[in-house]
Amino acid sequence: MLPWLLRRLGQIIPTLLILSVLIFGLQQLMPGDPALILAGEERGDPQVLAQIRAELFLDRPLPEQYLHWITRAVQGDFGFSWRIREPVAKLILEKLPVTFQLAVTAFLIALAIGIPAGVLSAVRRDRPTDWLVNAVALFGISTPNFWLGIMMILLFSVQLGWLPPSGYVPLWEDPLQSLATTIMPAFVLGSGIAGVLMRHTRAAMLGALGQDYVRTARAKGLGERAVVGRHALRNALIPVVTLGTIEFGRLLAGAVLTEQIFTIPGFGKLIVDAVFNRDYPVVQGVVMATALIFTGLSLVADLLYMAVNPRLRTA
Amino acid sequence: MSATADSPARRALRRFLRHRLAVFGLIVVVLFILAALLAPWLSPADPLQTSWTAIRKPPSAAHWFGTDENGRDVLARVLYGARASMAAGVLSVSVALLIGVPIGLLAGLAGGWVDALIARIADAMLSVPFLILAIALAAFLGPALENAMLAIAITASPIFVRLARGMALDARATDWVEAARALGNPPWRLGLVHVLPNIIPPLLVQATLSIAEAIIAEASLSFLGLGQQPPAPSWGSMLNSAQRFLTQAPWLAIFPGLAIFLVVLAFNLMGDGLRDALDPRGERR
């Protein structure tokens, strides 16, 4: 186990370092001089420009700029937001819980729809139920998040007036109102993942239902419920759980547009606002943080896979 | 029929054509490509022509999809918008293939530190979700459709690097590539003549699915204001302005979104069909 973990970390760390070089390099694509943007009204004053360049290390050679940036980044310091003069790390940590609540709700919705639907379509393979479930999953995967969001606002907020069209209330302030503001964006975010989970579950269930242990279970006279639920599903869930972990990471990307549409002040809105304010340190910080979370989740997925599948532990 | 009647390509084509949903996808894709190419002839109006007398009119005989907040014909804008979407989908993925495949083949065939470095760079790019990387790239390049397409192309390329590299590694271990190498063929020739033809099927499947992803990405970037700039039409930017008039003019949000949905669905159906048709084992994952 430990050697495996060390080997994995040996792959992850260089990967993240290379990513940090790429993200740092993005700055070079930027049209114009960052010092000019930051100086604002004082852009005519060479002294101010020189001071800004010195503070941000912009007057040093590129490799030195990078070393300065990365040594701080590994300590969790992604620099300051140019716009609001606050540490980027602080902004990210403030926004993350909001997106996390949204993502967890979305994921629960996806699980609640995707897994039963996948089991159902596997059990009724090649019958109308299977086709219907597959069609719905394909629709879920093909519908762009933001359009589904707009359509749901149109139906549930504009036409029916059941749910608020936008905004966010923290869970601990008013749980009911929080749920009301989260449920629609969470459904939008979860629908695509539900489709993917359904497909994974279906494939895994079809595999499991063809196994000898299922035949044995049937042969010893177990009811179909017990065969499907206790024998096939438990084994089929192993790959689904690990794939699900990676899908959870993708929710972060989906949150960018969903938060924009429902005006939820989360992680996704942070990057969009930063892009429009040309607040590049925030953009870099968010991308780096996303990569960290994503990589962390795939490590968790592998660990989970080993935890539920003892045969892999010695490998 | 000639001797080629039962070539693998023919057999795959037959399997694909038997896949009714995939054929439906293909037809929809062809229709949208025609819409994009023939927009000036098909369009009932100029997509940029504003009109004071026709602001936010619901769908009617004169304007099938209604008019927008500046009195522009929505059908015309949806038709012209197909240009931005199809260009972003097809061109970006073509560029991604042109970047990704040679680099992947090089990595797989060269081995050693070249391979290690390329594989790590691809991993690094794949460790950031597609849309977030595309947004970051587009942000630094500046808002314009060409920049959004470039950002999408770069973001889409590592998946092709990984695919081509994997296939090249597999191929390198086979006897026929070993034999070709022993005969003194240089690596580029091995890649071009002996590996590339064999990896076309999985590349084709991935490219189709990537086009669907690229179209969503273009719409998303334009929705955020990072892609097609107004007044030029794009489905994403149309949805963005539609959001402000949801109560008064819901048709503004319905038609561009429906167009994105249909195109993406069609490419996904085609991709699924191609995967089933080209996979000799015929099993879906």
Side-chain angles (χ1 to χ4, degrees), chain B residues 36 40 56 60 89 93 108 125 131 137 155 210 223 225 234 236 239 259 281:
Chain B
R56 293 205 310 261
S60 64
V93 172
M125 291 175 74
L131 189 60
L137 273 169
T155 313
S210 287
F223 180 81
S234 140
L239 277 177
R281 284 159 308 205

Side-chain angles (χ1 to χ4, degrees), chain B residues 162-186:
Chain B
R162 187 180 269 185
L163 200 60
R165 174 180 173 265
M167 303 294 289
L169 282 176
D170 285 351
R172 204 161 66 144
T174 59
D175 292 341
W176 40 274
V177 170
E178 195 51 50
R181 184 199 297 277
L183 286 173
N185 283 298

Side-chain angles (χ1 to χ4, degrees), chain B:
Chain B
M1 287 234 191
S2 66
T4 56
D6 234 61
S7 70
R10 281 268 170 134
R11 253 177 293 152
L13 181 67
R14 232 186 0 252
R15 274 203 297 265
F16 180 81
L17 290 177
R18 263 208 309 269
H19 206 302
R20 263 175 298 173
L21 284 172
V23 173
F24 169 76
L26 179 67
I27 292 170
V28 174
V29 165
V30 169
L31 286 178
F32 270 98
I33 291 175
L34 286 177
L37 292 175
L38 304 177
W41 293 277
L42 291 174
S43 178
D46 179 346
L48 302 181
Q49 180 68 51
T50 58
S51 160
W52 265 111
T53 53
I55 283 178
R56 293 205 310 261
K57 292 276 181 270
S60 64
H63 303 285
W64 290 4
F65 287 4
T67 60
D68 72 1
E69 71 277 14
N70 294 314
R72 295 173 297 203
D73 187 83
V74 175
L75 175 58
R77 290 180 71 73
V78 169
L79 281 171
Y80 274 90
R83 296 188 151 190
S85 279
M86 300 314 270
V90 177
L91 287 181
S92 301
V93 172
S94 308
V95 173
L97 277 166
L98 286 177
I99 302 173
V101 174
I103 294 179
L105 288 179
L106 173 77
L109 292 172
W113 67 269
V114 178
D115 178 38
L117 182 68
I118 292 173
R120 284 288 154 274
I121 292 178
D123 281 352
M125 291 175 74
L126 287 168
S127 69
V128 183
F130 192 93
L131 189 60
I132 290 189
L133 190 58
I135 288 176
L137 273 169
F140 282 94
L141 289 167
L145 182 61
E146 299 75 45
N147 288 343
M149 284 165 61
L150 184 62
I152 294 169
I154 295 172
T155 313
S157 54
I159 190 88
F160 294 112
V161 172
R162 187 180 269 185
L163 200 60
R165 174 180 173 265
M167 303 294 289
L169 282 176
D170 285 351
R172 204 161 66 144
T174 59
D175 292 341
W176 40 274
V177 170
E178 195 51 50
R181 184 199 297 277
L183 286 173
N185 283 298
W188 63 267
R189 212 184 129 79
L190 287 179
L192 213 60
V193 181
H194 297 277
V195 182
L196 192 60
N198 288 292
I199 65 172
I200 284 176
L203 283 177
L204 206 59
V205 174
Q206 183 56 48
T208 314
L209 298 174
S210 287
I211 290 177
E213 206 167 7
I215 289 175
I216 291 195
E218 185 276 331
S220 306
L221 290 175
S222 292
F223 180 81
L224 294 172
L226 288 170
Q228 181 81 293
Q229 297 299 301
S234 140
W235 298 336
S237 57
M238 288 170 79
L239 277 177
N240 184 10
S241 47
Q243 222 194 339
R244 277 176 288 141
F245 303 102
L246 212 49
T247 336
Q248 306 97 324
W251 58 89
L252 291 182
I254 292 172
F255 295 109
L258 209 56
I260 303 174
F261 166 70
L262 268 177
V263 167
V264 171
L265 178 72
F267 274 107
N268 279 335
L269 286 173
M270 253 176 77
D272 283 356
L274 279 174
R275 177 161 50 212
D276 292 351
L278 293 171
D279 185 354
R281 284 159 308 205
E283 262 290 301
R284 213 172 358 152
R285 90 185 150 105

Side-chain angles (χ1 to χ4, degrees), chain A residues 98-111 113 140-141 143-149 152 182-197 247-262 264 267-268, chain B residues 131:
Chain A
V98 178
T99 303
F100 192 69
Q101 185 193 337
L102 184 63
V104 169
T105 318
F107 199 62
L108 291 177
I109 293 175
L111 285 175
I113 300 173
I141 293 169
T143 312
N145 260 345
F146 51 113
W147 186 54
L148 183 63
M152 286 188 75
T182 323
I183 192 79
M184 214 163 33
F187 180 82
V188 168
L189 201 49
S191 62
I193 309 281
V196 177
L197 281 180
E247 292 298 327
F248 187 82
R250 272 197 214 145
L251 288 175
L252 286 177
V256 174
L257 286 157
T258 312
E259 289 179 2
Q260 195 66 18
I261 284 163
F262 292 94
I264 294 170
F267 194 69
Chain B
L131 189 60

